[in-house]
Amino acid sequence: MSGKKTNILTVLIILGLVAGALFGQFLLYDGDPGALGDHWTKQAGDIILIRPLMLLIIPIVFVSVIVGVTSIGDPSKLGLIGGSTLLYYIVTMLIAVSIGATLVSTLKPGDLSEEARTSLTAGAAQQYESKVQAKVQQAEEGGATSVGQAFLEILKQMIPTNVIDEMARGKTLGIIVFALLLGLALAAGGETTAPAVRVFEALFDAIMRLVLWVIWLTPVGVFFLVAWTVGDIGFENLIGPIAKYIAVVLSGLFLHGVIVLPLILFILARTNPFRYMWQMRRALMTAFGTDSSSATLPVTIESAETEGGCSKRSANFVLPLGATINMDGTALYEAVAVVFLFQLYGIELEFTQLLVVVMTATLAAVGAAGIPSAGIIMMVIVINAVNTSLGGDKTLPLEAIGVIIGVDRIVDMCRTTVNVWGDAVGAKLITKIAPDIVEQREKTLA
Ligand code: ASP
């Protein structure tokens, strides 16, 4: 996309975000939080933006990982790239979760007056029943609410038995594994498999063109989605006793996204992190507007490879995997939210329990799908684990989640942005060890 067109699109997306917030607050919000339900603005956002993006996800993940792997070629190099990518994901998620745990235990947003506690917890059970319970039950049936089961579920997804079934159910991890293996086989096949490689390369090119078309729907899509979010929650409900919790999550996300990740990028890749952040702005704004790192993936890949200067070898592989398992924002948020709820219900957590939070919140973030509110359901894993480690003396009821569900969408917009930013930083770092062949040649010539 030309520079001028990109600028126009950026302005339009910003306008969409701001106008959506104003429209939601002044024309939709009626003083009753949570009353909008499946309002037409949500449906419009869904049809205009989310569904077209979702349509591209499975083909993009499949084709881009194959192209990424075949362009890496050498299997030993793939090991280095894969290993470095996983190391980066784990280390940054652990940093994020530690920032969250430290902030929430020092600032103690849940240590409130009796009156504030009562006002916050009063409607929790009802909120939980109406908005969360059914999803938690579904997750329980799927076996994903205890640490062991969640771990097993991730392993099972990594070794699928039927890739078409995984595709049909929108499970990306299995597709990535299959695409990776197929990519390796295609690379190993030399001349025999070269035509198939070219087919995948051409397909990738075509899908990217589709992405470029869909991107133009972003301003209108985010307008409706943000209007619905703000119209449903209402800005005034972000103040009051819950404000401290929101402030702690947002400060943590800010620290991680604007200081820690940029520092990592600067130190390891000698890249100007804020310039890169600007180059990735369309992906970051789409993440903010859609609440979904999976839906944003097509835009993330497009921005990273065009403006962001990431190599195909890196971005095609690092970004799909990142959208599936690397969620720094979600990990940080899980830690803050769980410790906050324990504080609110008067249960003091010791250092050992905080360690349980750190480990399980990371696992919950890996297991969370890149869709809206996935994090809040995965929180059940963390709460169950901490409850077990408390030995049954005191337990936090799951209905406590009802306290934060009302404002979750706004928090989700911010954590999803950090999730996508974390993936983007990874792609830029890995570009250093896996530049595209053309770039390498250019460098040698220069
Ligand atoms: N919405 C987040 C994402 O798509 C996941 C979550 O934390 O709920 O990245």
Side-chain angles (χ1 to χ4, degrees):
M1 203 186 296
S2 73
K4 197 170 165 209
K5 275 192 186 165
T6 316
N7 288 342
I8 296 175
L9 188 59
T10 307
V11 173
L12 288 177
I13 301 178
I14 295 175
L15 277 178
L17 289 170
V18 176
L22 294 175
F23 184 81
Q25 175 68 26
F26 296 110
L27 297 171
L28 293 181
Y29 182 64
D30 61 359
D32 185 11
L36 273 192
D38 271 348
H39 191 258
W40 64 267
T41 41
K42 180 174 190 269
Q43 308 289 352
D46 201 37
I47 288 175
I48 293 171
L49 185 60
I50 304 277
R51 294 179 71 94
L53 284 174
M54 288 296 210
L55 179 66
L56 300 176
I57 294 171
I58 301 298
I60 256 193
V61 169
F62 185 58
V63 177
S64 94
V65 173
I66 291 181
V67 172
V69 174
T70 51
S71 61
I72 294 169
D74 181 0
S76 63
K77 188 119 200 203
L78 185 72
L80 173 73
I81 296 172
S84 319
T85 308
L86 289 180
L87 185 72
Y88 164 81
Y89 289 162
I90 292 169
V91 170
T92 49
M93 270 196 280
L94 283 175
I95 296 178
V97 89
S98 310
I99 293 178
T102 312
L103 283 183
V104 71
S105 7
T106 41
L107 300 173
K108 297 194 185 334
D111 273 0
L112 297 166
S113 67
E114 225 21 71
E115 195 192 337
R117 273 176 214 252
T118 325
S119 88
L120 273 182
T121 50
Q126 192 239 329
Q127 286 275 353
Y128 177 77
E129 273 162 32
S130 66
K131 293 189 179 147
V132 195
Q133 200 168 31
K135 286 188 196 154
V136 170
Q137 266 163 6
Q138 220 178 357
E140 267 163 3
E141 278 156 25
T145 48
S146 78
V147 176
Q149 284 172 328
F151 196 64
L152 197 67
E153 181 58 22
I154 295 174
L155 279 181
K156 278 186 182 165
Q157 281 188 30
M158 280 171 66
I159 310 169
T161 51
N162 180 343
V163 75
I164 306 290
D165 189 42
E166 301 294 304
M167 287 183 175
R169 291 187 297 132
K171 298 261 179 221
T172 40
L173 201 51
I175 305 174
I176 293 176
V177 173
F178 179 67
L180 213 139
L181 295 173
L182 187 60
L184 272 177
L186 285 173
E191 275 308 305
T192 327
T193 47
V197 173
R198 279 199 294 278
V199 168
F200 279 113
E201 281 169 356
L203 265 177
F204 182 69
D205 207 73
I207 296 174
M208 278 323 194
R209 279 168 211 271
L210 280 177
V211 175
L212 275 181
W213 297 342
V214 173
I215 281 181
W216 284 95
L217 301 171
T218 319
V220 188
V222 296
F223 168 81
F224 285 117
L225 291 169
V226 171
W228 174 72
T229 305
V230 175
D232 196 45
I233 297 176
F235 278 129
E236 51 267 49
N237 292 302
L238 301 179
I239 46 180
I242 197 83
K244 225 174 149 189
Y245 153 73
I246 300 178
V248 174
V249 180
L250 297 192
S251 329
L253 291 176
F254 181 84
L255 254 178
H256 189 71
V258 180
I259 297 172
V260 175
L261 288 176
L263 258 180
I264 295 179
L265 188 57
F266 178 71
I267 295 171
L268 296 182
R270 293 281 150 202
T271 299
N272 178 343
F274 298 107
R275 191 164 153 248
Y276 181 57
M277 195 185 269
W278 172 250
Q279 290 165 338
M280 292 303 296
R281 66 196 173 283
R282 274 180 289 133
L284 300 179
M285 288 191 292
T286 308
F288 186 77
T290 58
D291 248 358
S292 165
S293 32
S294 288
T296 309
L297 179 64
V299 189
T300 319
I301 296 183
E302 198 276 329
S303 302
E305 289 183 11
T306 53
E307 263 193 274
C310 294
S311 68
K312 243 197 192 116
R313 294 166 123 195
S314 157
N316 276 21
F317 169 73
V318 174
L319 295 174
L321 192 61
T324 312
I325 62 171
N326 181 44
M327 297 199 183
D328 294 5
T330 301
L332 187 149
Y333 145 85
E334 296 281 345
V336 176
V338 169
V339 178
F340 163 73
L341 291 176
F342 274 95
Q343 289 170 349
L344 192 68
Y345 281 72
I347 308 172
E348 236 0 271
L349 297 184
E350 307 280 328
F351 184 69
T352 5
Q353 279 114 31
L354 280 181
L355 275 185
V356 173
V357 170
V358 167
M359 301 317 289
T360 51
T362 312
L363 182 72
V366 172
I371 54 171
S373 298
I376 206 150
I377 310 298
M378 295 307 276
M379 189 178 295
V380 174
I381 297 177
V382 190
I383 296 180
N384 282 344
V386 180
N387 276 343
T388 313
S389 79
L390 282 168
D393 303 345
K394 288 174 176 174
T395 49
L396 180 74
L398 286 185
E399 65 188 38
I401 297 176
V403 172
I404 50 173
I405 185 78
V407 294
D408 195 59
R409 178 103 189 171
I410 296 216
V411 177
D412 198 359
M413 291 161 79
C414 303
R415 65 180 188 253
T416 306
T417 313
V418 175
N419 288 346
V420 170
W421 175 228
D423 301 340
V425 170
K428 191 76 182 173
L429 283 180
I430 301 297
T431 299
K432 279 276 152 192
I433 41 175
D436 276 335
I437 313 267
V438 196
E439 280 171 32
Q440 251 175 348
R441 221 179 280 140
E442 272 168 10
K443 266 195 200 136
T444 341
L445 288 177

mmCIF file of all heavy atoms in Angstrom, residues 400-424:
data_model
loop_
_atom_site.group_PDB
_atom_site.id
_atom_site.type_symbol
_atom_site.label_atom_id
_atom_site.label_comp_id
_atom_site.label_asym_id
_atom_site.label_seq_id
_atom_site.Cartn_x
_atom_site.Cartn_y
_atom_site.Cartn_z
ATOM 1 N N ALA A 400 -17.012 -14.696 41.721
ATOM 2 C CA ALA A 400 -16.286 -13.430 41.895
ATOM 3 C C ALA A 400 -15.953 -12.813 40.535
ATOM 4 O O ALA A 400 -15.843 -11.585 40.403
ATOM 5 C CB ALA A 400 -15.015 -13.672 42.694
ATOM 6 N N ILE A 401 -15.803 -13.665 39.533
ATOM 7 C CA ILE A 401 -15.494 -13.157 38.187
ATOM 8 C C ILE A 401 -16.551 -12.154 37.728
ATOM 9 O O ILE A 401 -16.282 -11.238 36.957
ATOM 10 C CB ILE A 401 -15.395 -14.340 37.179
ATOM 11 C CG1 ILE A 401 -14.234 -15.256 37.571
ATOM 12 C CG2 ILE A 401 -15.195 -13.853 35.755
ATOM 13 C CD1 ILE A 401 -14.116 -16.498 36.690
ATOM 14 N N GLY A 402 -17.769 -12.321 38.259
ATOM 15 C CA GLY A 402 -18.865 -11.402 37.918
ATOM 16 C C GLY A 402 -18.539 -9.947 38.247
ATOM 17 O O GLY A 402 -19.095 -9.027 37.640
ATOM 18 N N VAL A 403 -17.606 -9.729 39.203
ATOM 19 C CA VAL A 403 -17.256 -8.354 39.593
ATOM 20 C C VAL A 403 -16.619 -7.601 38.425
ATOM 21 O O VAL A 403 -16.856 -6.408 38.239
ATOM 22 C CB VAL A 403 -16.268 -8.381 40.799
ATOM 23 C CG1 VAL A 403 -15.726 -7.007 41.105
ATOM 24 C CG2 VAL A 403 -16.923 -8.992 42.014
ATOM 25 N N ILE A 404 -15.786 -8.330 37.651
ATOM 26 C CA ILE A 404 -15.034 -7.625 36.615
ATOM 27 C C ILE A 404 -15.583 -7.812 35.205
ATOM 28 O O ILE A 404 -15.126 -7.166 34.274
ATOM 29 C CB ILE A 404 -13.529 -8.023 36.632
ATOM 30 C CG1 ILE A 404 -13.392 -9.544 36.638
ATOM 31 C CG2 ILE A 404 -12.810 -7.403 37.805
ATOM 32 C CD1 ILE A 404 -11.966 -10.016 36.485
ATOM 33 N N ILE A 405 -16.566 -8.691 35.060
ATOM 34 C CA ILE A 405 -17.038 -8.976 33.698
ATOM 35 C C ILE A 405 -17.638 -7.729 33.027
ATOM 36 O O ILE A 405 -17.482 -7.505 31.830
ATOM 37 C CB ILE A 405 -18.046 -10.169 33.678
ATOM 38 C CG1 ILE A 405 -18.448 -10.540 32.244
ATOM 39 C CG2 ILE A 405 -19.314 -9.876 34.455
ATOM 40 C CD1 ILE A 405 -17.447 -11.334 31.526
ATOM 41 N N GLY A 406 -18.274 -6.893 33.829
ATOM 42 C CA GLY A 406 -18.948 -5.717 33.260
ATOM 43 C C GLY A 406 -18.005 -4.783 32.511
ATOM 44 O O GLY A 406 -18.368 -4.199 31.496
ATOM 45 N N VAL A 407 -16.776 -4.635 33.037
ATOM 46 C CA VAL A 407 -15.841 -3.707 32.394
ATOM 47 C C VAL A 407 -14.817 -4.445 31.533
ATOM 48 O O VAL A 407 -13.888 -3.840 30.997
ATOM 49 C CB VAL A 407 -15.086 -2.841 33.443
ATOM 50 C CG1 VAL A 407 -16.034 -1.913 34.162
ATOM 51 C CG2 VAL A 407 -14.348 -3.713 34.449
ATOM 52 N N ASP A 408 -15.007 -5.759 31.404
ATOM 53 C CA ASP A 408 -13.936 -6.548 30.783
ATOM 54 C C ASP A 408 -13.626 -6.173 29.341
ATOM 55 O O ASP A 408 -12.481 -6.214 28.914
ATOM 56 C CB ASP A 408 -14.233 -8.047 30.868
ATOM 57 C CG ASP A 408 -12.990 -8.855 30.565
ATOM 58 O OD1 ASP A 408 -12.002 -8.684 31.286
ATOM 59 O OD2 ASP A 408 -12.976 -9.598 29.575
ATOM 60 N N ARG A 409 -14.651 -5.804 28.611
ATOM 61 C CA ARG A 409 -14.415 -5.538 27.184
ATOM 62 C C ARG A 409 -13.390 -4.411 26.989
ATOM 63 O O ARG A 409 -12.523 -4.473 26.123
ATOM 64 C CB ARG A 409 -15.755 -5.203 26.535
ATOM 65 C CG ARG A 409 -15.686 -4.868 25.094
ATOM 66 C CD ARG A 409 -16.138 -5.994 24.194
ATOM 67 N NE ARG A 409 -15.841 -5.637 22.812
ATOM 68 C CZ ARG A 409 -15.941 -6.459 21.801
ATOM 69 N NH1 ARG A 409 -16.327 -7.684 21.985
ATOM 70 N NH2 ARG A 409 -15.645 -6.058 20.590
ATOM 71 N N ILE A 410 -13.490 -3.386 27.848
ATOM 72 C CA ILE A 410 -12.552 -2.259 27.697
ATOM 73 C C ILE A 410 -11.133 -2.694 28.061
ATOM 74 O O ILE A 410 -10.167 -2.375 27.368
ATOM 75 C CB ILE A 410 -13.024 -1.051 28.551
ATOM 76 C CG1 ILE A 410 -14.367 -0.593 27.982
ATOM 77 C CG2 ILE A 410 -11.950 0.033 28.627
ATOM 78 C CD1 ILE A 410 -14.665 0.852 27.974
ATOM 79 N N VAL A 411 -11.028 -3.468 29.134
ATOM 80 C CA VAL A 411 -9.715 -3.982 29.535
ATOM 81 C C VAL A 411 -9.182 -4.911 28.426
ATOM 82 O O VAL A 411 -7.998 -4.916 28.098
ATOM 83 C CB VAL A 411 -9.849 -4.755 30.878
ATOM 84 C CG1 VAL A 411 -8.528 -5.372 31.287
ATOM 85 C CG2 VAL A 411 -10.362 -3.837 31.976
ATOM 86 N N ASP A 412 -10.102 -5.662 27.826
ATOM 87 C CA ASP A 412 -9.725 -6.613 26.772
ATOM 88 C C ASP A 412 -9.144 -5.889 25.547
ATOM 89 O O ASP A 412 -8.179 -6.348 24.931
ATOM 90 C CB ASP A 412 -10.977 -7.422 26.380
ATOM 91 C CG ASP A 412 -10.637 -8.708 25.641
ATOM 92 O OD1 ASP A 412 -9.447 -8.968 25.426
ATOM 93 O OD2 ASP A 412 -11.574 -9.444 25.272
ATOM 94 N N MET A 413 -9.734 -4.744 25.221
ATOM 95 C CA MET A 413 -9.220 -3.988 24.076
ATOM 96 C C MET A 413 -7.736 -3.657 24.295
ATOM 97 O O MET A 413 -6.918 -3.753 23.380
ATOM 98 C CB MET A 413 -10.022 -2.687 23.912
ATOM 99 C CG MET A 413 -11.449 -2.917 23.451
ATOM 100 S SD MET A 413 -12.519 -1.521 23.771
ATOM 101 C CE MET A 413 -12.118 -0.439 22.461
ATOM 102 N N CYS A 414 -7.427 -3.267 25.529
ATOM 103 C CA CYS A 414 -6.045 -2.847 25.810
ATOM 104 C C CYS A 414 -5.109 -4.048 25.859
ATOM 105 O O CYS A 414 -4.004 -4.010 25.318
ATOM 106 C CB CYS A 414 -5.978 -2.080 27.129
ATOM 107 S SG CYS A 414 -7.084 -0.660 27.121
ATOM 108 N N ARG A 415 -5.554 -5.145 26.509
ATOM 109 C CA ARG A 415 -4.634 -6.289 26.604
ATOM 110 C C ARG A 415 -4.417 -6.931 25.235
ATOM 111 O O ARG A 415 -3.326 -7.405 24.927
ATOM 112 C CB ARG A 415 -5.083 -7.311 27.656
ATOM 113 C CG ARG A 415 -6.385 -8.023 27.398
ATOM 114 C CD ARG A 415 -6.701 -9.016 28.517
ATOM 115 N NE ARG A 415 -7.852 -9.841 28.198
ATOM 116 C CZ ARG A 415 -9.050 -9.714 28.762
ATOM 117 N NH1 ARG A 415 -9.264 -8.773 29.681
ATOM 118 N NH2 ARG A 415 -10.042 -10.519 28.441
ATOM 119 N N THR A 416 -5.457 -6.913 24.394
ATOM 120 C CA THR A 416 -5.290 -7.496 23.054
ATOM 121 C C THR A 416 -4.255 -6.693 22.258
ATOM 122 O O THR A 416 -3.455 -7.255 21.506
ATOM 123 C CB THR A 416 -6.647 -7.512 22.315
ATOM 124 O OG1 THR A 416 -7.606 -8.169 23.136
ATOM 125 C CG2 THR A 416 -6.556 -8.234 20.981
ATOM 126 N N THR A 417 -4.273 -5.359 22.434
ATOM 127 C CA THR A 417 -3.291 -4.518 21.738
ATOM 128 C C THR A 417 -1.876 -4.924 22.154
ATOM 129 O O THR A 417 -0.978 -5.054 21.309
ATOM 130 C CB THR A 417 -3.542 -3.028 22.067
ATOM 131 O OG1 THR A 417 -4.928 -2.771 21.920
ATOM 132 C CG2 THR A 417 -2.740 -2.107 21.184
ATOM 133 N N VAL A 418 -1.680 -5.151 23.465
ATOM 134 C CA VAL A 418 -0.350 -5.555 23.937
ATOM 135 C C VAL A 418 -0.015 -6.968 23.432
ATOM 136 O O VAL A 418 1.134 -7.256 23.088
ATOM 137 C CB VAL A 418 -0.265 -5.456 25.482
ATOM 138 C CG1 VAL A 418 1.058 -5.991 26.000
ATOM 139 C CG2 VAL A 418 -0.443 -4.009 25.924
ATOM 140 N N ASN A 419 -1.017 -7.837 23.359
ATOM 141 C CA ASN A 419 -0.770 -9.185 22.811
ATOM 142 C C ASN A 419 -0.205 -9.086 21.395
ATOM 143 O O ASN A 419 0.788 -9.736 21.049
ATOM 144 C CB ASN A 419 -2.074 -9.995 22.757
ATOM 145 C CG ASN A 419 -2.561 -10.423 24.131
ATOM 146 O OD1 ASN A 419 -1.827 -10.347 25.093
ATOM 147 N ND2 ASN A 419 -3.807 -10.859 24.217
ATOM 148 N N VAL A 420 -0.848 -8.271 20.573
ATOM 149 C CA VAL A 420 -0.418 -8.152 19.177
ATOM 150 C C VAL A 420 0.944 -7.458 19.085
ATOM 151 O O VAL A 420 1.814 -7.845 18.304
ATOM 152 C CB VAL A 420 -1.490 -7.398 18.351
ATOM 153 C CG1 VAL A 420 -0.978 -7.047 16.965
ATOM 154 C CG2 VAL A 420 -2.755 -8.245 18.241
ATOM 155 N N TRP A 421 1.157 -6.478 19.939
ATOM 156 C CA TRP A 421 2.442 -5.776 19.965
ATOM 157 C C TRP A 421 3.568 -6.738 20.348
ATOM 158 O O TRP A 421 4.661 -6.717 19.763
ATOM 159 C CB TRP A 421 2.331 -4.578 20.916
ATOM 160 C CG TRP A 421 3.584 -3.790 21.169
ATOM 161 C CD1 TRP A 421 4.061 -3.414 22.382
ATOM 162 C CD2 TRP A 421 4.508 -3.238 20.205
ATOM 163 N NE1 TRP A 421 5.213 -2.690 22.249
ATOM 164 C CE2 TRP A 421 5.517 -2.570 20.918
ATOM 165 C CE3 TRP A 421 4.590 -3.275 18.821
ATOM 166 C CZ2 TRP A 421 6.584 -1.922 20.290
ATOM 167 C CZ3 TRP A 421 5.672 -2.634 18.196
ATOM 168 C CH2 TRP A 421 6.640 -1.967 18.930
ATOM 169 N N GLY A 422 3.302 -7.611 21.293
ATOM 170 C CA GLY A 422 4.299 -8.615 21.697
ATOM 171 C C GLY A 422 4.668 -9.509 20.521
ATOM 172 O O GLY A 422 5.845 -9.812 20.298
ATOM 173 N N ASP A 423 3.667 -9.918 19.744
ATOM 174 C CA ASP A 423 3.953 -10.763 18.570
ATOM 175 C C ASP A 423 4.780 -9.992 17.546
ATOM 176 O O ASP A 423 5.723 -10.523 16.950
ATOM 177 C CB ASP A 423 2.643 -11.195 17.872
ATOM 178 C CG ASP A 423 1.728 -11.970 18.799
ATOM 179 O OD1 ASP A 423 2.220 -12.497 19.806
ATOM 180 O OD2 ASP A 423 0.515 -12.030 18.506
ATOM 181 N N ALA A 424 4.396 -8.724 17.361
ATOM 182 C CA ALA A 424 5.080 -7.909 16.354
ATOM 183 C C ALA A 424 6.548 -7.710 16.729
ATOM 184 O O ALA A 424 7.440 -7.791 15.867
ATOM 185 C CB ALA A 424 4.379 -6.552 16.220
#
